[in-house]
Amino acid sequence: MAGTAHPTVPAAEQAAADQARTDAVEAALAKLDLDTKTRLLAGQDMWSLPALPEIGLASVVMSDGPIGVRGVRWTADDPSVALPSPTALAATWDPELARRAGRLLAQEARRKGVHVLLAPTVNLHRTPLGGRHFECYSEDPYLTGLIGTGYVRGVQEGGVGTTVKHFVGNDAETDRFTVDNAIAPRPLRELYLAPFEAIVENAHPWGVMTAYNKVNGTTMTEHRYLVNEVLRGEWGFDGVNVSDWMAARSTTGDLAGGLDVAMPGPQTVYGPALAAAVRAGEADEAEVDTAVRNVLRLAARVGALEGAPPVVAEPPAALDGEALARELAARSFVLVRNEGEALPLTPGGTVALLGAAARDARVLGGGSATVFPARVVSPLDGLAAALPDGALTFAVGADPSDELAPADQGFELRAVCRDAAGNLLGEGSLPSGQVQWIGDDLPAGVSYATLADVEVTGTFVPRESGEHAFGTRGLGAFTLTVDGTELWDGVQLMGDEADPFEAFFGAPSERARLHLTAGVPVEVSLRHQAPDLSEVPLKALMFSLLHLGPRQDPDALIAEAVAAARAADTAVVVVATTERVESEGFDRTDLRLPGRQDDLVRAVAAANPNTVVVVNAGSPVELPWREEVAAVLLSWFPGQEGGAALADVLLGDAEPGGRLPTTWPVALADAPVTEAVPTEGRLEYAEGLFIGYRAWDRTGTAPAYSFGHGLGYTTWAYESLEVTATTARVRIRNTGGRPGREVVQLYAAPVGDPVARPARWLAAFAGVEAGPGESAEVEIPLPARTFEIWDEEAYAWTRIPGAYEIQAARSLADTRLTARIDVA
Ligand code: BGC
């Protein structure tokens, strides 16, 4: 059982533990009959595998996802620490920090009884339109692989498994269940598979998740070549292969394709269907055994198989989740522009904080990565706590969304469940107006067999006086009552564009408007007649009570913000995307900031030259005013402590430590790859190797901000660079007035390239800290892969000898020193 590698356990001890696990797995397997074996390969419900007490096997529990551990329930009852978005984690360019994030997540998983975290997401930023761009790390496979390695190590050092996902080619969301991504061998190996390969080699993940999509004609859950030959065969992966949720679609194809576990259950293509296929001679029982071994090995590693020593017997020392979330956020913020040292703010000045997202912070992206933190520190909370009384004013300025959204601010809601006779069955708490019960995740006492009616009910205390709109999302019969008046009673039927996730991602429907008074509570109720789900295999109850506060004249809002900006020393505008812009389930159609936010920034910048814009978005957005403002700080989706970290960074208590993990275009039209929509089911990765900066280098168009860019609060001189074919030694000096951390980036550029390659690529990097005036020297190994390509003819990684220029750079656009080497 090679590959369980735990860095703090001596090799001999590890080998003995591996052997003990192998023995326990074999002993357990020998006791299982075919039906039990195939049952173990299928989810028993949304998140777990069946327990088999006869072999001492506990139920293995899995949970999303990259930035937190939701646990098996989609509610705020059992909150989770919410760390910054994966793009933010990658922006730290710090695998050790990713490792600490992983440790914290393992701690969260243990607290929630979760054995396997459904993360990290290591698909690439092929196009900025990718809906889950925020959930992936970077446009560069090397950076992605290193951050993913740190993350997986951290989680698994906490004794919790990972499923590196989505293997492979799930780089966009459009038609994700069916799209056939046509990817040539070189880009497949050199770009899309590379992070998975690096993580398998360096972090030995205990799991992967195979994607919905096809690659080159074969569905990934059935991809024998990529799973059995490449992942397991060439790379030596010995973990479990779990399908993405509902991705497994062929009993025999999946088994032959190396899929171990079909999720979720209970209705899957494995279980009884697989046992029947074996009995009919259509599937091979030896392959079933292989899959069962993989599952049992996972169980042994996480401590769910009696008699097998878990990889981690004692969990590591506890981490402070809030402190880590705050540190990580500050380390991820990327200062892309800072004219006249506008940041950090001069102490003692006044600040006008502007923008709806400054008050209602957007801390995470949408979809399965959603968790419910116990608290959220908004920019307004963070700055109010950090600045002296009277130094801060706030104005909304512009709202990024004029759509109804799940009832949230000012609402205290719960879900009341009744049977057909109107008897109370049970009640569940609700984080917002969104009911999202998947599988058996129902409030205590409630079952699908008895449930007839769900009422979202509670009070609403409006923040503003005026006309409030209420609405619904979801299918079925609804009755909406506010303040004792029935406002709507009707049925929402499935539209023409029937989408199974309509109730989750679909468009909101406005049902009524009502004048309400600020501070005066009203009763609200949305009754929903539950559909009969008793016969439906994958049970889910999803609908929402939606709300939209009074719409004010957008020009008046901007004028109010401008007045506040004029009266303050500094204007800080927080602009943001919304969950309808960045989420799982769909791709973006443009990169614009929604609503009147661009107008707001321009108007504020015209009124106050000291305008700082904070961009609260998980992936690139167009910033057409960027040269008109003093400073631009990208804060990503900063997690629950985002506002506290923002105060730290704006006031100079922390340096904005991030560097761009992906290129930010001036405009969508400039982005080299914008095709995310398949044609007749096929999405051609026609750009080959040229995604991200590899493509920008080729077109020569200047982006808004280059890969690797990020200013920090001090300045750096690059003093010397010495390079061999295996290592680079770089000396830098902190030439500014405060301590800082520089990310020294090394790019390799072939001189007179004998094979078609990008002009250069990231070869290695290192974080270096130095105090003011101090110099620091760092030795950075150059991975062998730097000088290799995937040779399709030889079917092997092949070294390309010749001359290379090694560039020591602050970003792709800011090379400081170069050295030439000859690689043999
Ligand atoms: C997502 C996965 C996720 C799974 C379980 C799927 O729709 O693609 O990333 O882990 O759901 O929530």
Side-chain angles (χ1 to χ4, degrees):
M1 208 178 285
T4 299
H6 191 277
T8 59
V9 180
E13 222 171 279
Q14 253 182 67
D18 278 345
Q19 191 54 51
R21 279 188 287 274
T22 303
D23 296 345
V25 165
E26 290 305 323
L29 175 64
K31 289 187 202 143
L32 299 177
D33 60 22
L34 177 64
D35 294 303
T36 315
K37 285 190 286 196
T38 56
R39 195 154 64 84
L40 182 59
L41 302 182
Q44 62 176 355
D45 54 26
M46 191 66 184
W47 306 112
S48 69
L49 301 181
L52 300 177
E54 63 272 30
I55 55 165
L57 177 69
S59 166
V60 170
V61 178
M62 310 176 214
S63 175
D64 290 304
I67 61 140
V69 186
R70 192 171 54 245
V72 297
R73 309 213 42 217
W74 194 279
T75 84
D77 289 350
D78 179 16
S80 318
V81 175
L83 297 177
S85 59
T87 35
L89 191 62
T92 68
W93 289 59
D94 188 346
E96 275 307 310
L97 199 50
R99 187 168 173 177
R100 270 166 64 213
R103 286 226 178 163
L104 189 262
L105 295 173
Q107 175 180 318
E108 286 281 281
R110 282 177 173 264
R111 180 172 70 76
K112 291 181 168 232
V114 168
H115 302 101
V116 179
L117 191 63
L118 301 174
T121 308
V122 302
N123 300 115
L124 293 185
H125 293 165
R126 174 175 173 264
T127 163
L129 293 177
R132 283 176 101 169
H133 195 287
F134 71 88
E135 200 189 311
C136 306
Y137 291 131
S138 156
E139 68 188 17
D140 182 74
Y142 178 70
L143 177 59
T144 299
L146 273 189
I147 296 294
T149 294
Y151 181 101
V152 168
R153 280 190 180 157
V155 175
Q156 295 188 172
E157 281 160 16
V160 171
T162 54
T163 61
V164 187
K165 68 188 186 183
H166 309 85
F167 188 73
V168 61
N170 185 184
D171 309 294
E173 291 295 278
T174 307
D175 298 341
R176 63 179 168 153
F177 280 83
T178 52
V179 59
D180 181 11
N181 294 321
I183 317 177
R186 268 191 71 193
L188 186 58
R189 291 279 182 162
E190 295 181 25
L191 299 176
Y192 302 100
L193 288 172
F196 290 95
E197 184 185 6
I199 295 167
V200 168
E201 182 175 341
N202 300 314
H204 308 284
W206 303 342
V208 298
M209 182 190 286
T210 32
Y212 295 119
N213 51 273
K214 296 179 181 162
V215 169
N216 299 330
T218 306
T219 301
M220 277 314 305
T221 42
E222 300 163 36
H223 217 303
R224 192 178 175 88
Y225 164 64
L226 287 177
V227 171
N228 280 354
E229 292 181 33
V230 176
L231 171 68
R232 292 193 190 280
E234 293 177 28
W235 303 346
F237 171 72
D238 71 349
V240 73
N241 170 9
V242 178
S243 73
D244 198 348
W245 265 228
M246 300 194 291
R249 281 154 284 181
S250 158
T251 301
T252 52
D254 287 342
L255 186 74
L259 183 74
D260 301 319
V261 173
M263 288 299 290
Q267 188 91 351
T268 74
V269 295
Y270 280 180
L274 182 54
V278 172
R279 292 199 172 99
E282 292 158 7
D284 184 355
E285 186 160 359
E287 288 187 341
V288 172
D289 287 351
T290 302
V292 172
R293 263 189 203 100
N294 291 336
V295 173
L296 291 175
R297 186 182 303 125
L298 171 73
R301 286 171 167 167
V302 299
L305 182 65
E306 260 171 40
V311 175
V312 178
E314 281 294 313
L319 292 170
D320 178 338
E322 284 177 8
L324 182 60
R326 182 170 178 166
E327 180 189 345
L328 225 158
R331 287 285 307 279
S332 77
F333 291 173
V334 183
L335 184 61
V336 291
R337 177 181 171 86
N338 195 19
E339 289 302 292
E341 296 188 12
L343 289 180
L345 300 178
T346 315
T350 55
V351 174
L353 181 64
L354 311 166
R359 180 178 63 183
D360 302 329
R362 177 131 158 82
V363 300
L364 44 79
S368 62
T370 304
V371 297
F372 303 97
R375 68 166 200 178
V376 166
V377 183
S378 69
L380 182 56
D381 299 331
L383 279 173
L387 289 172
D389 283 351
L392 183 67
T393 55
F394 169 74
V396 168
D399 204 319
S401 176
D402 50 10
E403 273 193 350
L404 292 124
D408 187 4
Q409 298 293 337
F411 287 85
E412 289 282 345
L413 298 170
R414 65 190 195 283
V416 178
C417 301
R418 299 185 184 85
D419 67 12
N423 299 313
L424 181 70
L425 294 170
E427 286 196 5
S429 65
L430 290 176
S432 69
Q434 190 167 18
V435 172
Q436 195 140 268
W437 295 334
I438 304 169
D440 296 321
D441 177 16
L442 292 171
V446 182
S447 72
Y448 287 106
T450 51
L451 182 64
D453 181 285
V454 183
E455 182 183 7
V456 172
T457 180
T459 52
F460 171 48
V461 184
R463 211 153 48 177
E464 290 133 325
S465 297
E467 199 172 47
H468 289 254
F470 292 86
T472 62
R473 179 184 285 141
L475 305 175
F478 295 97
T479 309
L480 172 69
T481 308
V482 181
D483 201 17
T485 308
E486 187 180 300
L487 298 178
W488 187 69
D489 182 51
V491 177
Q492 175 68 48
L493 298 173
M494 177 105 82
D496 293 342
E497 287 166 23
D499 180 320
F501 290 108
E502 178 69 18
F504 193 20
F505 302 125
S509 303
E510 184 179 318
R511 302 304 185 187
R513 288 183 184 211
L514 190 68
H515 190 279
L516 298 174
T517 309
V520 178
V522 290
E523 297 291 313
V524 290
S525 154
L526 178 68
R527 287 187 82 131
H528 174 55
Q529 208 175 304
D532 180 7
L533 293 172
S534 48
E535 299 301 315
V536 177
L538 182 62
K539 302 180 199 330
L541 202 81
M542 298 200 267
F543 69 96
S544 300
L545 166 66
L546 307 177
H547 168 256
L548 182 65
R551 295 297 81 191
Q552 286 159 31
D553 173 20
D555 293 322
L557 283 180
I558 292 177
E560 187 192 353
V562 166
R566 206 167 270 135
D569 295 319
T570 304
V572 175
V573 191
V574 181
V575 294
T577 59
T578 70
E579 186 152 331
R580 301 275 292 147
V581 175
E582 285 185 81
S583 172
E584 181 180 332
F586 51 84
D587 291 313
R588 294 203 280 173
T589 49
D590 62 53
L591 303 184
R592 284 196 295 276
L593 283 166
R596 295 280 304 274
Q597 298 184 95
D598 287 333
D599 295 339
L600 170 68
V601 174
R602 285 211 154 104
V604 169
N608 188 332
N610 247 341
T611 292
V612 174
V613 182
V614 177
V615 183
N616 177 190
S619 29
V621 285
E622 291 167 358
L623 311 172
W625 34 256
R626 67 192 187 286
E627 316 257 283
E628 297 163 35
V629 300
V632 179
L633 181 70
L634 311 184
S635 71
W636 313 108
F637 293 139
Q640 66 172 67
E641 304 299 314
L646 183 65
D648 293 342
V649 164
L650 292 180
L651 302 176
D653 296 330
E655 180 184 42
R659 303 290 186 269
L660 283 179
T662 217
T663 311
W664 276 46
V666 171
L668 174 63
D670 297 342
V673 182
T674 53
E675 196 54 73
V677 178
T679 311
E680 291 174 8
R682 239 171 102 87
L683 184 63
E684 203 70 54
Y685 282 34
E687 69 287 345
L689 294 171
F690 295 90
I691 64 166
Y693 65 80
R694 289 165 167 80
W696 286 94
D697 251 355
R698 183 165 70 159
T699 59
T701 313
Y705 303 111
S706 293
F707 180 78
H709 176 62
L711 296 170
Y713 281 158
T714 187
T715 51
W716 299 91
Y718 278 57
E719 295 187 332
S720 67
L721 167 69
E722 290 159 40
V723 186
T724 71
T726 54
T727 185
R729 180 177 286 276
V730 187
R731 200 177 65 243
I732 60 171
R733 184 176 299 277
N734 180 344
T735 49
R738 51 178 287 157
R741 176 180 184 272
E742 169 70 333
V743 178
V744 175
Q745 303 162 35
L746 297 175
Y747 295 91
V751 181
D753 196 9
V755 290
R757 277 180 291 181
R760 55 193 164 149
W761 50 89
L762 181 68
F765 62 89
V768 184
E769 287 177 19
E774 281 174 19
S775 73
E777 200 166 76
V778 62
E779 169 113 29
I780 311 175
L782 292 176
R785 204 42 83 71
T786 306
F787 308 110
E788 293 175 347
I789 64 161
W790 178 257
D791 184 334
E792 296 175 17
E793 302 283 296
Y795 193 76
W797 288 99
T798 305
R799 194 171 174 86
I800 306 297
Y804 290 83
E805 185 179 89
I806 302 297
Q807 307 172 346
R810 297 209 66 203
S811 79
L812 199 84
D814 188 2
T815 298
R816 293 300 178 91
L817 294 170
T818 61
R820 219 177 124 122
I821 48 167
D822 283 305
V823 170

